[in-house]
Amino acid sequence: MLEVYAEYLFLENFIMNFLILHITSYFCRYRGKLFKLIIGASLGAFYSFIIFFPSLHFLLSFSMKLVISMLIIIISFTPDKFKDFFKYLSIFYLVSFVFGGTAFALFYFTNFNSILSNGIFYTNNFSFKVLFYSVALAYVLIVLSISYVKNKINKENLYKVIIIEFDKREKEINALIDTGNSLSDPISQFPVIVVEYNAIEALLPEGVKEIFKNDNFNKLEKITAILQRSDWMNRFRIIPFTSIGMENGILIGFKPDNVKMKNNGEIVNLNKIIVAISTNTLSPNGDYKALLNPDILV
């Protein structure tokens, strides 16, 4: 018979919960406090103690597990919008299912002595080596799953129309969802939309246009000097990037007043977005003038 020790039960469930939350935060690009993840993981670990109290086993029902998982998400990530809450919760469950299945498979094939009772896992010969392999394999499976889903997006859904608003003016631009665009603002970590200069020129202040008219867009000192003279200096960003043939490239970006996207007949507001300006032609045939970071759709 397997003896269950409270301290081991807490430690094992805490480590698994923390790793799941940490991987969730990575895929959701969460940049919050680490101690929140620790508190959320601790809540999940303490929840496992219910197996010691038969009178409280009603708390192990599906509805209560759902409530606890929601509390863990709220504590760990404190989302301020339902959209963000649903994103965190969905990724949390995806990671949990993949990680849990991977871990149980490895425990099974390595002949670990363990029990699973009402969704609470416990093993008396816990191994960090097996846990490490579980995390690594689960991470690979999740990355492959997300890549597979992205590749299944049909071509029609790859094209969107966006409306960029800046300084009481707006511009409607055809855009492509580019799975290769993972740019983010190094300061705010907001995802970046890359737009051709010719498509957005009308929105830019005259001073900023000087950067592009005089080929200063790769001269950091010139860019800084020009932006300091602009009334919109606090809205502009310098975004480093790497691409084929350009190891230390620079894009000039700015925080727009608003970005909207037409999606299946509806207008969707895209919050926390940075627009970067490219001097290159993005589409050889002119089908689109902007590249969307897929993270804005999550």
Side-chain angles (χ1 to χ4, degrees):
M1 180 178 180
L2 182 64
E3 294 182 351
V4 177
Y5 295 95
E7 59 270 27
Y8 290 150
L9 179 67
F10 177 85
L11 178 62
E12 292 166 8
N13 282 276
F14 171 80
I15 292 175
M16 288 188 176
N17 288 331
F18 179 78
L19 289 173
I20 291 171
L21 288 171
H22 184 69
I23 295 174
T24 300
S25 69
Y26 174 79
F27 281 106
C28 293
R29 307 175 71 87
Y30 174 71
R31 297 294 185 273
K33 302 294 185 180
L34 181 63
F35 77 88
K36 291 184 178 180
L37 302 185
I38 294 175
I39 295 174
S42 298
L43 173 60
F46 279 119
Y47 179 67
S48 65
F49 282 6
I50 292 175
I51 66 171
F52 295 124
F53 304 96
S55 61
L56 297 179
H57 280 190
F58 70 93
L59 295 176
L60 296 172
S61 65
F62 171 80
S63 57
M64 287 306 304
K65 288 178 181 178
L66 182 61
V67 170
I68 293 297
S69 62
M70 289 179 175
L71 286 176
I72 290 175
I73 293 299
I74 293 172
I75 292 172
S76 301
F77 305 108
T78 56
D80 54 0
K81 296 181 179 179
F82 179 78
K83 177 184 176 182
D84 294 333
F85 169 78
F86 183 76
K87 177 180 71 173
Y88 286 126
L89 187 64
S90 300
I91 299 297
F92 174 77
Y93 277 127
L94 173 62
V95 174
S96 298
F97 293 150
V98 176
F99 178 70
T102 304
F104 283 128
L106 288 177
F107 286 141
Y108 175 79
F109 286 113
T110 51
N111 296 318
F112 268 62
N113 190 17
S114 61
I115 61 172
L116 177 63
S117 176
N118 290 303
I120 307 299
F121 173 76
Y122 178 78
T123 177
N124 68 345
N125 50 347
F126 184 77
S127 170
F128 283 101
K129 183 178 180 180
V130 173
L131 182 62
F132 172 79
Y133 288 144
S134 300
V135 173
L137 184 55
Y139 178 82
V140 171
L141 290 174
I142 293 169
V143 170
L144 291 176
S145 298
I146 292 177
S147 298
Y148 176 79
V149 171
K150 287 182 178 179
N151 291 333
K152 282 296 182 180
I153 299 176
N154 60 54
K155 188 175 181 180
E156 294 179 0
N157 289 333
L158 290 177
Y159 291 98
K160 302 291 181 183
V161 174
I162 60 173
I163 302 169
I164 300 174
E165 299 176 1
F166 184 75
D167 192 22
K168 298 180 180 179
R169 289 172 289 180
E170 64 179 35
K171 182 71 174 180
E172 186 172 291
I173 301 171
N174 292 327
L176 171 73
I177 300 174
D178 181 16
T179 56
N181 175 14
S182 59
L183 281 178
S184 62
D185 174 30
I187 297 176
S188 64
Q189 298 300 317
F190 292 169
V192 171
I193 296 175
V194 180
V195 182
E196 288 184 16
Y197 171 73
N198 293 334
I200 207 170
E201 180 181 7
L203 299 183
L204 300 176
E206 288 300 322
V208 176
K209 293 178 184 179
E210 181 183 342
I211 296 174
F212 300 91
K213 290 180 179 178
N214 297 316
D215 295 331
N216 292 315
F217 44 84
N218 275 320
K219 301 174 183 177
L220 187 57
E221 292 183 2
K222 285 277 189 179
I223 292 173
T224 303
I226 293 171
L227 291 181
Q228 286 178 343
R229 301 198 303 265
S230 172
D231 295 334
W232 297 102
M233 183 184 71
N234 63 329
R235 299 281 292 274
F236 281 83
R237 305 283 193 272
I238 296 176
I239 304 169
F241 75 95
T242 300
S243 64
I244 298 175
M246 174 124 5
E247 294 185 358
N248 298 302
I250 292 176
L251 290 175
I252 306 302
F254 65 93
K255 180 71 175 72
D257 295 327
N258 190 28
V259 177
K260 295 180 287 188
M261 180 178 67
K262 295 181 179 180
N263 187 37
N264 298 325
E266 298 181 354
I267 300 295
V268 180
N269 286 310
L270 304 178
N271 299 313
K272 300 180 179 180
I273 296 293
I274 297 295
V275 175
I277 307 164
S278 173
T279 56
N280 297 325
T281 299
L282 301 178
S283 171
N285 53 15
D287 287 345
Y288 53 88
K289 299 287 185 178
L291 299 175
L292 300 181
N293 187 324
D295 288 343
I296 69 175
L297 305 176
V298 178

